[in-house]
Amino acid sequence: MEVRTLSPSEWVNLETGFPPLGTTLRPEDSQVVVVEDNGKIIASVGTFRVTHFESLWIDPEYRGNAGVARRLMKGAIGAAKKWTDQWVWGCSGTDHMNDILTRMGGVKMPVDTFVVPLE
């Protein structure tokens, strides 16, 4: 068995496909690692760098104030555009922030999210 990184042109060979997100990734920000047995891909995982919105919060007294949310997210988008012009990964733990991200055109991903140590 061998482990290798696929070239982007080989991503179409994956049985599972690459996540829908994969079509928006720049090749320099993403890799797919596979395990092959006699040339057959038997396992794969995609790795990619992302720009991420984290700890989205608005004081309860100001929630529902569209101006606050608009200013906050305009500032966050400006900050994110220093690194990317494609999309931003955004996590939310509240219905309020889910609503803001949805109104911004965010698409809820059908995934569970984990923090995995690299040690």
Side-chain angles (χ1 to χ4, degrees):
M1 284 188 271
E2 293 185 28
V3 176
R4 73 181 181 95
T5 301
L6 297 181
S7 68
S9 65
E10 295 177 284
W11 293 353
V12 296
N13 298 336
L14 296 170
E15 295 238 354
T16 60
F18 200 49
L21 208 40
T23 60
T24 67
L25 296 172
R26 299 179 311 174
E28 62 269 24
D29 289 333
S30 53
Q31 299 179 72
V32 176
V33 177
V34 297
V35 176
E36 294 177 320
D37 188 16
N38 292 320
K40 177 184 177 185
I41 295 173
I42 61 170
S44 65
V45 62
T47 62
F48 51 92
R49 292 186 289 191
V50 298
T51 302
H52 178 85
F53 287 154
E54 180 60 47
S55 300
L56 303 168
W57 177 84
I58 297 175
D59 185 300
E61 186 177 329
Y62 291 87
R63 289 181 190 163
N65 182 324
V68 172
R70 197 170 27 254
R71 284 178 178 87
L72 176 66
M73 298 319 293
K74 184 176 180 180
I77 289 168
K81 284 187 173 185
K82 292 179 182 178
W83 297 310
T84 185
D85 61 358
Q86 297 292 313
W87 52 270
V88 174
W89 194 269
C91 292
S92 172
T94 68
D95 289 340
H96 182 244
M97 292 314 298
N98 289 349
D99 182 55
I100 290 172
L101 294 172
T102 299
R103 284 188 279 129
M104 291 177 65
V107 176
K108 187 172 184 178
M109 301 297 289
V111 298
D112 294 318
T113 303
F114 298 86
V115 174
V116 180
L118 297 178
E119 296 179 23

mmCIF file of all heavy atoms in Angstrom, residues 87-113:
data_model
loop_
_atom_site.group_PDB
_atom_site.id
_atom_site.type_symbol
_atom_site.label_atom_id
_atom_site.label_comp_id
_atom_site.label_asym_id
_atom_site.label_seq_id
_atom_site.Cartn_x
_atom_site.Cartn_y
_atom_site.Cartn_z
ATOM 1 N N TRP A 87 -14.870 32.350 -0.387
ATOM 2 C CA TRP A 87 -15.883 32.088 0.630
ATOM 3 C C TRP A 87 -15.191 32.009 1.983
ATOM 4 O O TRP A 87 -13.975 31.929 2.060
ATOM 5 C CB TRP A 87 -16.652 30.784 0.322
ATOM 6 C CG TRP A 87 -15.755 29.610 0.074
ATOM 7 C CD1 TRP A 87 -15.240 29.206 -1.128
ATOM 8 C CD2 TRP A 87 -15.192 28.724 1.042
ATOM 9 N NE1 TRP A 87 -14.410 28.128 -0.956
ATOM 10 C CE2 TRP A 87 -14.374 27.795 0.370
ATOM 11 C CE3 TRP A 87 -15.312 28.616 2.426
ATOM 12 C CZ2 TRP A 87 -13.683 26.793 1.018
ATOM 13 C CZ3 TRP A 87 -14.613 27.595 3.074
ATOM 14 C CH2 TRP A 87 -13.825 26.700 2.360
ATOM 15 N N VAL A 88 -15.992 32.005 3.027
ATOM 16 C CA VAL A 88 -15.485 31.907 4.394
ATOM 17 C C VAL A 88 -16.260 30.805 5.105
ATOM 18 O O VAL A 88 -17.474 30.692 4.949
ATOM 19 C CB VAL A 88 -15.675 33.244 5.156
ATOM 20 C CG1 VAL A 88 -15.281 33.114 6.608
ATOM 21 C CG2 VAL A 88 -14.897 34.347 4.492
ATOM 22 N N TRP A 89 -15.553 29.999 5.862
ATOM 23 C CA TRP A 89 -16.186 28.984 6.694
ATOM 24 C C TRP A 89 -16.698 29.705 7.931
ATOM 25 O O TRP A 89 -15.961 30.451 8.562
ATOM 26 C CB TRP A 89 -15.128 27.950 7.092
ATOM 27 C CG TRP A 89 -15.680 26.706 7.667
ATOM 28 C CD1 TRP A 89 -15.917 26.453 8.988
ATOM 29 C CD2 TRP A 89 -16.062 25.537 6.963
ATOM 30 N NE1 TRP A 89 -16.422 25.194 9.139
ATOM 31 C CE2 TRP A 89 -16.523 24.606 7.909
ATOM 32 C CE3 TRP A 89 -16.071 25.189 5.614
ATOM 33 C CZ2 TRP A 89 -16.980 23.351 7.546
ATOM 34 C CZ3 TRP A 89 -16.518 23.935 5.268
ATOM 35 C CH2 TRP A 89 -16.968 23.029 6.230
ATOM 36 N N GLY A 90 -17.940 29.529 8.284
ATOM 37 C CA GLY A 90 -18.493 30.199 9.449
ATOM 38 C C GLY A 90 -19.180 29.222 10.371
ATOM 39 O O GLY A 90 -19.994 28.422 9.929
ATOM 40 N N CYS A 91 -18.842 29.264 11.634
ATOM 41 C CA CYS A 91 -19.484 28.411 12.625
ATOM 42 C C CYS A 91 -20.404 29.259 13.487
ATOM 43 O O CYS A 91 -20.122 30.415 13.750
ATOM 44 C CB CYS A 91 -18.443 27.726 13.500
ATOM 45 S SG CYS A 91 -17.467 26.523 12.610
ATOM 46 N N SER A 92 -21.478 28.655 13.904
ATOM 47 C CA SER A 92 -22.426 29.359 14.742
ATOM 48 C C SER A 92 -22.993 28.418 15.781
ATOM 49 O O SER A 92 -23.244 27.249 15.486
ATOM 50 C CB SER A 92 -23.565 29.906 13.878
ATOM 51 O OG SER A 92 -24.580 30.433 14.703
ATOM 52 N N GLY A 93 -23.201 28.944 16.957
ATOM 53 C CA GLY A 93 -23.786 28.144 18.022
ATOM 54 C C GLY A 93 -25.146 28.650 18.460
ATOM 55 O O GLY A 93 -25.711 28.158 19.427
ATOM 56 N N THR A 94 -25.679 29.658 17.750
ATOM 57 C CA THR A 94 -26.977 30.221 18.140
ATOM 58 C C THR A 94 -27.880 30.382 16.924
ATOM 59 O O THR A 94 -27.411 30.547 15.799
ATOM 60 C CB THR A 94 -26.812 31.610 18.792
ATOM 61 O OG1 THR A 94 -26.365 32.539 17.795
ATOM 62 C CG2 THR A 94 -25.825 31.574 19.962
ATOM 63 N N ASP A 95 -29.175 30.358 17.175
ATOM 64 C CA ASP A 95 -30.136 30.579 16.089
ATOM 65 C C ASP A 95 -29.967 31.975 15.495
ATOM 66 O O ASP A 95 -30.133 32.170 14.295
ATOM 67 C CB ASP A 95 -31.568 30.410 16.598
ATOM 68 C CG ASP A 95 -31.909 28.965 16.914
ATOM 69 O OD1 ASP A 95 -31.212 28.060 16.392
ATOM 70 O OD2 ASP A 95 -32.862 28.732 17.684
ATOM 71 N N HIS A 96 -29.628 32.959 16.331
ATOM 72 C CA HIS A 96 -29.452 34.328 15.858
ATOM 73 C C HIS A 96 -28.331 34.404 14.818
ATOM 74 O O HIS A 96 -28.492 35.003 13.749
ATOM 75 C CB HIS A 96 -29.150 35.254 17.045
ATOM 76 C CG HIS A 96 -28.993 36.683 16.653
ATOM 77 N ND1 HIS A 96 -27.809 37.349 16.800
ATOM 78 C CD2 HIS A 96 -29.857 37.562 16.098
ATOM 79 C CE1 HIS A 96 -27.952 38.590 16.355
ATOM 80 N NE2 HIS A 96 -29.178 38.741 15.925
ATOM 81 N N MET A 97 -27.211 33.793 15.132
ATOM 82 C CA MET A 97 -26.106 33.828 14.178
ATOM 83 C C MET A 97 -26.396 32.947 12.966
ATOM 84 O O MET A 97 -26.001 33.272 11.852
ATOM 85 C CB MET A 97 -24.787 33.436 14.846
ATOM 86 C CG MET A 97 -24.303 34.457 15.876
ATOM 87 S SD MET A 97 -24.370 36.215 15.368
ATOM 88 C CE MET A 97 -23.277 36.238 13.975
ATOM 89 N N ASN A 98 -27.113 31.835 13.158
ATOM 90 C CA ASN A 98 -27.540 31.032 12.006
ATOM 91 C C ASN A 98 -28.331 31.899 11.044
ATOM 92 O O ASN A 98 -28.145 31.837 9.823
ATOM 93 C CB ASN A 98 -28.413 29.852 12.443
ATOM 94 C CG ASN A 98 -27.654 28.775 13.164
ATOM 95 O OD1 ASN A 98 -26.428 28.763 13.185
ATOM 96 N ND2 ASN A 98 -28.386 27.863 13.763
ATOM 97 N N ASP A 99 -29.222 32.715 11.587
ATOM 98 C CA ASP A 99 -30.050 33.589 10.760
ATOM 99 C C ASP A 99 -29.193 34.601 10.006
ATOM 100 O O ASP A 99 -29.384 34.821 8.816
ATOM 101 C CB ASP A 99 -31.086 34.301 11.640
ATOM 102 C CG ASP A 99 -32.015 35.189 10.839
ATOM 103 O OD1 ASP A 99 -32.644 34.689 9.887
ATOM 104 O OD2 ASP A 99 -32.102 36.393 11.168
ATOM 105 N N ILE A 100 -28.239 35.211 10.688
ATOM 106 C CA ILE A 100 -27.363 36.196 10.032
ATOM 107 C C ILE A 100 -26.577 35.536 8.905
ATOM 108 O O ILE A 100 -26.518 36.051 7.781
ATOM 109 C CB ILE A 100 -26.406 36.855 11.055
ATOM 110 C CG1 ILE A 100 -27.198 37.785 11.991
ATOM 111 C CG2 ILE A 100 -25.290 37.623 10.344
ATOM 112 C CD1 ILE A 100 -26.391 38.327 13.150
ATOM 113 N N LEU A 101 -25.967 34.383 9.178
ATOM 114 C CA LEU A 101 -25.172 33.706 8.157
ATOM 115 C C LEU A 101 -26.040 33.253 6.982
ATOM 116 O O LEU A 101 -25.617 33.341 5.824
ATOM 117 C CB LEU A 101 -24.421 32.523 8.773
ATOM 118 C CG LEU A 101 -23.347 32.910 9.795
ATOM 119 C CD1 LEU A 101 -22.795 31.668 10.483
ATOM 120 C CD2 LEU A 101 -22.248 33.724 9.165
ATOM 121 N N THR A 102 -27.245 32.809 7.261
ATOM 122 C CA THR A 102 -28.161 32.399 6.184
ATOM 123 C C THR A 102 -28.537 33.604 5.327
ATOM 124 O O THR A 102 -28.529 33.523 4.092
ATOM 125 C CB THR A 102 -29.425 31.744 6.771
ATOM 126 O OG1 THR A 102 -29.032 30.572 7.501
ATOM 127 C CG2 THR A 102 -30.404 31.353 5.673
ATOM 128 N N ARG A 103 -28.839 34.738 5.963
ATOM 129 C CA ARG A 103 -29.193 35.943 5.196
ATOM 130 C C ARG A 103 -28.026 36.451 4.366
ATOM 131 O O ARG A 103 -28.220 37.120 3.358
ATOM 132 C CB ARG A 103 -29.720 37.035 6.123
ATOM 133 C CG ARG A 103 -31.154 36.749 6.572
ATOM 134 C CD ARG A 103 -31.779 37.897 7.341
ATOM 135 N NE ARG A 103 -31.321 37.841 8.724
ATOM 136 C CZ ARG A 103 -30.796 38.868 9.395
ATOM 137 N NH1 ARG A 103 -30.674 40.038 8.830
ATOM 138 N NH2 ARG A 103 -30.412 38.737 10.630
ATOM 139 N N MET A 104 -26.803 36.104 4.769
ATOM 140 C CA MET A 104 -25.622 36.492 3.991
ATOM 141 C C MET A 104 -25.380 35.544 2.813
ATOM 142 O O MET A 104 -24.421 35.696 2.076
ATOM 143 C CB MET A 104 -24.378 36.491 4.892
ATOM 144 C CG MET A 104 -24.375 37.584 5.930
ATOM 145 S SD MET A 104 -22.924 37.453 7.006
ATOM 146 C CE MET A 104 -21.589 37.768 5.847
ATOM 147 N N GLY A 105 -26.240 34.550 2.671
ATOM 148 C CA GLY A 105 -26.072 33.586 1.586
ATOM 149 C C GLY A 105 -25.346 32.334 2.018
ATOM 150 O O GLY A 105 -25.007 31.486 1.192
ATOM 151 N N GLY A 106 -25.095 32.205 3.322
ATOM 152 C CA GLY A 106 -24.413 31.016 3.828
ATOM 153 C C GLY A 106 -25.248 29.767 3.620
ATOM 154 O O GLY A 106 -26.478 29.813 3.669
ATOM 155 N N VAL A 107 -24.577 28.680 3.389
ATOM 156 C CA VAL A 107 -25.230 27.382 3.195
ATOM 157 C C VAL A 107 -24.813 26.475 4.341
ATOM 158 O O VAL A 107 -23.613 26.265 4.565
ATOM 159 C CB VAL A 107 -24.803 26.749 1.850
ATOM 160 C CG1 VAL A 107 -25.404 25.366 1.692
ATOM 161 C CG2 VAL A 107 -25.182 27.668 0.702
ATOM 162 N N LYS A 108 -25.794 25.947 5.062
ATOM 163 C CA LYS A 108 -25.485 25.063 6.185
ATOM 164 C C LYS A 108 -24.940 23.750 5.638
ATOM 165 O O LYS A 108 -25.542 23.124 4.769
ATOM 166 C CB LYS A 108 -26.732 24.814 7.024
ATOM 167 C CG LYS A 108 -26.442 24.062 8.287
ATOM 168 C CD LYS A 108 -27.647 24.003 9.195
ATOM 169 C CE LYS A 108 -27.254 23.312 10.488
ATOM 170 N NZ LYS A 108 -28.364 23.278 11.426
ATOM 171 N N MET A 109 -23.795 23.359 6.140
ATOM 172 C CA MET A 109 -23.144 22.134 5.693
ATOM 173 C C MET A 109 -23.621 20.964 6.556
ATOM 174 O O MET A 109 -23.743 21.108 7.769
ATOM 175 C CB MET A 109 -21.619 22.258 5.800
ATOM 176 C CG MET A 109 -21.022 23.398 4.981
ATOM 177 S SD MET A 109 -21.263 23.216 3.219
ATOM 178 C CE MET A 109 -20.156 21.868 2.883
ATOM 179 N N PRO A 110 -23.867 19.828 5.933
ATOM 180 C CA PRO A 110 -24.345 18.659 6.691
ATOM 181 C C PRO A 110 -23.177 17.885 7.302
ATOM 182 O O PRO A 110 -22.880 16.756 6.910
ATOM 183 C CB PRO A 110 -25.051 17.839 5.610
ATOM 184 C CG PRO A 110 -24.288 18.144 4.366
ATOM 185 C CD PRO A 110 -23.860 19.582 4.503
ATOM 186 N N VAL A 111 -22.490 18.532 8.241
ATOM 187 C CA VAL A 111 -21.305 17.913 8.836
ATOM 188 C C VAL A 111 -21.282 18.146 10.342
ATOM 189 O O VAL A 111 -21.929 19.055 10.850
ATOM 190 C CB VAL A 111 -19.996 18.491 8.234
ATOM 191 C CG1 VAL A 111 -19.914 18.218 6.757
ATOM 192 C CG2 VAL A 111 -19.862 19.975 8.507
ATOM 193 N N ASP A 112 -20.537 17.310 11.026
ATOM 194 C CA ASP A 112 -20.171 17.564 12.399
ATOM 195 C C ASP A 112 -18.757 18.127 12.364
ATOM 196 O O ASP A 112 -17.950 17.716 11.531
ATOM 197 C CB ASP A 112 -20.192 16.269 13.228
ATOM 198 C CG ASP A 112 -21.609 15.695 13.358
ATOM 199 O OD1 ASP A 112 -22.549 16.476 13.578
ATOM 200 O OD2 ASP A 112 -21.754 14.469 13.205
ATOM 201 N N THR A 113 -18.461 19.049 13.227
ATOM 202 C CA THR A 113 -17.152 19.705 13.208
ATOM 203 C C THR A 113 -16.355 19.270 14.436
ATOM 204 O O THR A 113 -16.881 19.206 15.532
ATOM 205 C CB THR A 113 -17.333 21.235 13.201
ATOM 206 O OG1 THR A 113 -18.130 21.588 12.076
ATOM 207 C CG2 THR A 113 -16.004 21.944 13.105
#
